[in-house]
């Protein structure tokens, strides 16, 4: 009997395998395998100047710290990720609350704010390097009020990382707005009506009625923006290419620079740092946000 | 008219005014700057003004972009990579999603957890270059297609499995009772029911692949470049100041296909994307 049941289960599982095998093969050979190899290459001296590849322990991380101040670039990448996520989510949430009702004008606004999502991040970067150019429209408008005003925005090493992250937020917030709007539709109408009938103000309705139902959307949006921004690359390449100096040289740009110089081991090590960074931020982030969902 | 009504009307007018201003400043003007300066000569475009062109050089600019950045070759390369990747991803993703949604075996559940690991973790591009060199296809579109498959398969499986789990089982059971094989059930019963998520995933992955710059920059060589790489070369290839007229003309050309695609399929996509995100 027990044997029979197990055989049936096995047959059933076996019956499903042909459907999953192609996808599993793609995952294993084209994703997991390269990731695993990267974990090895990161600790080798592989480069384009000699043919052999040998393990060199932690030399790559030491070299990256000495020559490219790795710790500082990790910090920059985190500043970028937090800025892009905070700005993008704050704007998207406000926009979602303003566009919550499915009226015709609101549909139009949603579509307009979605346009940047369709632009390639590279193109979005060029749009904003034009807008923020020293002679560009932003300075033109400001100098109407402040004659002679010239700020090189993206050339300012203190501001550049925040501005580039803001471009990231601009590019994606239309998408996150739609996710928040979908979250708002899960709020039961009776609950809102009851709260209003009991004399709750706008803020209270938001805080105590809508916000708890928005928790899954917040989890999704915050996780996706933070993790996505860890791999920031295109927008930086189009706006500052890592500069001025190395003020916006986020980790993926550093990877390209090492790769371009033929230092493949160093490029792998940098890429491994990105992977590690995603793991150590994503896991606690998802855990904390999920826990809040249950409480909320 | 009582005071409450009047107050809510004022509030509504304010809301519309703020929204309209935000839409114009944040979306309208940036796009206007791009389009209008793509019509100007190089010297005039360098002023980056929002005014109308003194002389219209649109034909010259767009013509130059076509030649200088080998636009047609880039377009064909982008199209090839996008269509092949998206087609293959849907072909492997749909059956896997059904299997992951229906099988209760522990092995399959474990396989699913492995399959979606790429939703969160970034890809490893350097070893991919290494592997492609090993099999002798480094620099070709095939190399980029393989990279894209590995890069996106997790997202595709994740979105499609979420959808497949919510499908009613009754039709599949009825087909089984009628003696239909599993393959036949999949093709004739399950696939038609999955068409909404197929469309959603099609658009998401098309947008992501068409716009990708990181993968092609590492994996493609020379004439195989896709459009974003062409745009990057165009803007960084000019020695002195940026030739905004050409850069913006390229931005317009590279963005139009997706904006047109989106205009056609808009509503269904919005529903599909948001449903997946909230449920996931």
């Amino acid at each position: 009997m027990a044997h029979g049941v197990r055989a049936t289960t096995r047959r059933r599982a076996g019956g499903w395998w042909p459907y999953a095998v192609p996808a599993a093969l793609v995952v294993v050979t084209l994703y997991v395998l390269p990731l695993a190899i990267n974990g090895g290459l990161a600790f080798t001296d592989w480069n384009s100047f000699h043919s052999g590849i040998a393990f060199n322990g932690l030399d790559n991380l030491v070299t990256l710290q000495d020559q490219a101040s790795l710790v500082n670039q990790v910090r920059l990448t985190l500043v970028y990720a937090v800025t892009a996520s905070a700005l993008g989510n704050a704007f998207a949430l406000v926009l979602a609350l303003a566009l919550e009702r499915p009226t015709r004008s609101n549909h139009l606004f949603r579509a307009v704010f979605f346009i940047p999502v369709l632009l390639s991040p590279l193109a979005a970067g060029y749009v904003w390097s034009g807008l923020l150019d020293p002679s560009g429209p932003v300075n033109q408008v400001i100098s109407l009020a402040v004659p002679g005003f010239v700020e090189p925005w993206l050339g300012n090493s203190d501001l550049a990382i925040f501005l580039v992250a803001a471009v990231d937020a601009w590019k994606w917030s239309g998408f996150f707005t739609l996710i928040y709007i979908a979250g708002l539709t899960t709020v039961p109408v009776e609950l809102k009506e009851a709260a209003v009938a009991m004399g709750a103000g706008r803020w209270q309705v938001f805080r105590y009625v809508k916000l708890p139902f928005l928790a899954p959307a917040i989890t999704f949006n915050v996780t996706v923006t933070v993790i996505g921004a860890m791999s920031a690359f295109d927008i930086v390449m189009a706006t500052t290419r890592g500069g001025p100096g190395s003020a916006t040289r986020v980790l993926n740009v550093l990877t390209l620079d090492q790769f371009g110089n033929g230092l493949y081991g160093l490029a792998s090590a940098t890429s491994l740092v990105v992977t590690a960074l995603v793991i150590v931020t994503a896991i606690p982030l998802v855990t904390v946000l999920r826990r809040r969902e249950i409480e909320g | 008219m009582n005071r409450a009504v009047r107050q809510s009307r004022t509030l509504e007018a304010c809301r519309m005014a703020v929204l309209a201003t935000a839409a114009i400043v944040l979306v309208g003007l940036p796009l206007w700057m791009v389009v209008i300066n793509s019509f100007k000569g190089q010297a005039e475009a360098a002023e980056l003004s929002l005014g109308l062109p003194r002389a219209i050089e649109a034909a010259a600019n767009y013509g130059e972009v076509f030649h200088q950045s080998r636009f047609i070759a880039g377009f064909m390369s982008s199209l090839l990579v996008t269509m092949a990747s998206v087609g293959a991803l849907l072909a492997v993703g749909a059956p896997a999603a059904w299997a992951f949604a229906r099988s209760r075996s522990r092995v399959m559940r474990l396989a699913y957890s492995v399959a979606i690991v790429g939703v969160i973790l970034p890809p490893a591009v350097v070893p991919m270059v290494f592997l492609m060199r090993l099999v002798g296809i480094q620099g070709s579109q095939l190399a980029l297609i393989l990279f894209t498959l590995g890069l996106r398969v997790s997202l595709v499986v994740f979105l499609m499995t979420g959808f497949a789990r919510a499908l009613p089982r009754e039709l599949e059971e009825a087909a089984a009772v009628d003696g239909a094989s599993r393959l036949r059930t999949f093709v004739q019963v399950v696939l038609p029911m999955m068409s909404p998520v197929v469309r959603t995933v099609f658009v998401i992955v098309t947008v992501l692949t068409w716009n990708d710059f990181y993968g092609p920059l590492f994996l493609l060589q020379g004439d195989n470049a896709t459009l974003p790489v062409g745009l990057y070369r165009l803007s960084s290839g000019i020695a002195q100041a940026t030739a905004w007229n050409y850069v913006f003309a390229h931005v317009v050309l590279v963005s139009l296909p997706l904006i047109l695609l989106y205009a056609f399929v808009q509503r269904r996509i919005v529903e599909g994307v948001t449903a997946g995100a909230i449920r996931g």
Side-chain angles (χ1 to χ4, degrees):
Chain A
M1 171 87 182
H3 179 80
V5 169
R6 208 177 303 145
T8 322
T9 327
R10 200 180 303 144
R11 203 181 318 128
R12 212 180 278 154
W16 287 113
W17 266 111
Y19 293 84
V21 160
L25 273 179
V26 169
V27 172
V28 170
T29 57
L30 300 175
Y31 186 80
V32 176
L33 180 68
L35 209 60
I37 295 177
N38 195 62
L41 285 176
F43 303 100
T44 67
D45 63 355
W46 181 34
N47 63 40
S48 60
F49 310 115
H50 62 87
S51 54
I53 299 182
F55 282 104
N56 64 357
L58 297 173
D59 285 5
N60 289 338
L61 292 175
V62 174
T63 310
L64 284 170
Q65 177 56 25
D66 289 347
Q67 292 176 6
S69 54
L70 179 67
V71 173
N72 197 40
Q73 306 323 114
V74 168
R75 194 187 56 84
L76 263 185
T77 307
L78 289 171
V79 167
Y80 181 104
V82 170
T83 309
S85 179
L87 282 179
N89 278 291
F91 183 67
L93 188 54
V94 170
L95 210 53
L97 290 166
L99 299 175
E100 185 181 348
R101 280 176 301 130
T103 62
R104 189 179 278 188
S105 63
N106 283 355
H107 275 299
L108 180 70
F109 278 122
R110 289 179 197 175
V112 169
F113 286 109
F114 195 77
I115 293 174
V117 179
L118 296 170
L119 294 183
S120 78
L122 195 72
Y126 287 119
V127 172
W128 282 92
S129 12
L131 289 164
L132 294 169
D133 191 89
S135 58
V138 170
N139 278 345
Q140 289 167 24
V141 170
I142 297 177
S143 58
L144 290 180
V146 188
F149 181 89
V150 176
E151 169 63 50
W153 302 112
L154 295 166
N156 179 328
S157 51
D158 294 326
L159 284 178
I161 190 74
F162 297 102
L163 290 171
V164 177
V167 176
D168 196 310
W170 175 81
K171 194 233 167 306
W172 287 110
S173 53
F175 176 74
F176 298 115
T177 302
L178 295 184
I179 307 282
Y180 282 130
I181 289 175
L184 286 170
T185 59
T186 62
V187 183
V189 182
E190 314 85 67
L191 215 57
K192 273 187 274 187
E193 284 168 354
V196 173
M198 283 154 67
R202 272 168 186 272
W203 167 253
Q204 284 167 314
V205 171
F206 169 72
R207 172 65 189 86
Y208 297 104
V209 179
K210 292 179 182 175
L211 200 57
F213 285 92
L214 279 175
I218 294 174
T219 305
F220 177 86
N221 281 351
V222 171
T223 312
V224 169
T225 42
V226 170
I227 290 172
M230 299 272 181
S231 303
F233 181 75
D234 307 21
I235 293 175
V236 180
M237 291 298 282
T239 47
T240 61
R241 224 218 149 281
S246 56
T248 58
R249 206 185 188 195
V250 292
L251 291 168
N252 270 355
V253 175
L254 189 58
T255 307
L256 177 75
D257 290 344
Q258 306 294 349
F259 184 82
N261 290 333
L263 304 167
Y264 307 128
L266 287 175
S268 289
T270 317
S271 172
L272 187 65
V273 172
V274 180
T275 309
L277 207 57
V278 168
I279 293 174
V280 299
T281 44
I283 293 172
L285 193 65
V286 174
T287 316
V288 168
L289 289 169
R290 277 272 144 105
R291 196 179 307 140
R292 294 212 53 173
E293 268 176 39
I294 297 160
E295 283 171 7
Chain B
M1 206 195 302
N2 69 39
R3 209 161 126 234
V5 172
R6 208 179 311 145
Q7 201 183 346
S8 83
R9 285 226 178 130
T10 321
L11 212 63
E12 174 64 14
C14 280
R15 188 186 71 100
M16 291 299 273
V18 171
L19 280 169
T21 311
I24 290 170
V25 170
L26 291 174
V27 182
L29 289 180
L31 294 187
W32 169 260
M33 175 198 70
V34 169
V35 174
I36 205 67
N37 281 291
S38 77
F39 294 159
K40 296 175 183 174
Q42 189 168 339
E44 202 191 335
E47 297 168 19
L48 285 167
S49 95
L50 299 175
L52 290 169
R54 292 190 287 272
I56 293 183
E57 302 280 350
N61 291 344
Y62 284 84
E64 181 66 18
V65 167
F66 265 84
H67 289 295
Q68 198 183 324
S69 76
R70 304 171 43 79
F71 192 85
I72 299 291
F75 185 87
M76 296 312 285
S77 195
S78 280
L79 198 64
L80 170 69
V81 170
T82 305
M83 282 173 57
S85 306
V86 175
L89 282 167
L90 289 173
V92 302
W98 188 44
F100 288 137
R102 291 290 183 257
S103 169
R104 289 196 201 108
S105 91
R106 205 172 289 170
V107 188
M108 286 294 265
R109 246 181 274 165
L110 183 71
Y112 176 71
S113 322
V114 175
I116 61 165
V117 73
V119 172
I120 287 196
L121 287 188
V125 74
V126 180
M128 206 59 193
V129 176
F130 178 74
L131 286 173
M132 293 300 115
R133 203 173 282 172
L134 214 61
V135 291
I137 55 169
Q138 155 66 359
S140 71
Q141 280 106 345
L142 182 58
L144 179 59
I145 291 167
L146 293 176
F147 173 74
T148 308
L149 295 186
L151 175 65
R152 302 294 175 205
V153 67
S154 293
L155 179 68
V156 172
V157 166
F158 173 72
L159 289 174
M160 291 186 124
T161 306
F163 186 89
R165 280 198 181 124
L167 287 177
R169 288 159 187 263
E170 287 78 15
L171 282 173
E172 293 162 44
E173 279 158 12
V177 169
D178 288 349
S181 68
R182 186 168 275 167
L183 180 62
R184 193 153 166 214
T185 309
F186 177 66
V187 174
Q188 297 194 336
V189 178
V190 178
L191 265 187
M193 289 196 292
M194 285 183 79
S195 67
V197 77
V198 168
R199 269 195 300 260
T200 307
V201 170
F202 171 81
V203 173
I204 294 176
V205 180
T206 299
V207 170
L208 291 174
T209 309
W210 183 268
N211 285 340
D212 189 27
F213 173 60
Y214 189 66
L217 192 63
F218 279 88
L219 285 156
L220 292 184
Q221 279 163 4
D223 293 347
N224 292 334
T226 52
L227 286 177
V229 176
L231 171 59
Y232 181 70
R233 283 186 191 158
L234 175 74
S235 77
S236 51
I238 302 150
Q240 328 86 8
T242 313
W244 290 112
N245 53 334
Y246 299 145
V247 171
F248 288 156
H250 201 299
V251 167
V252 170
L253 289 173
V254 76
S255 306
L256 266 185
L258 291 188
I259 291 178
L260 291 178
L261 172 73
Y262 182 72
F264 277 111
V265 292
Q266 184 194 0
R267 192 152 293 177
R268 283 203 182 109
I269 297 321
V270 170
E271 283 160 13
V273 174
T274 50
I278 299 302
R279 218 181 292 132

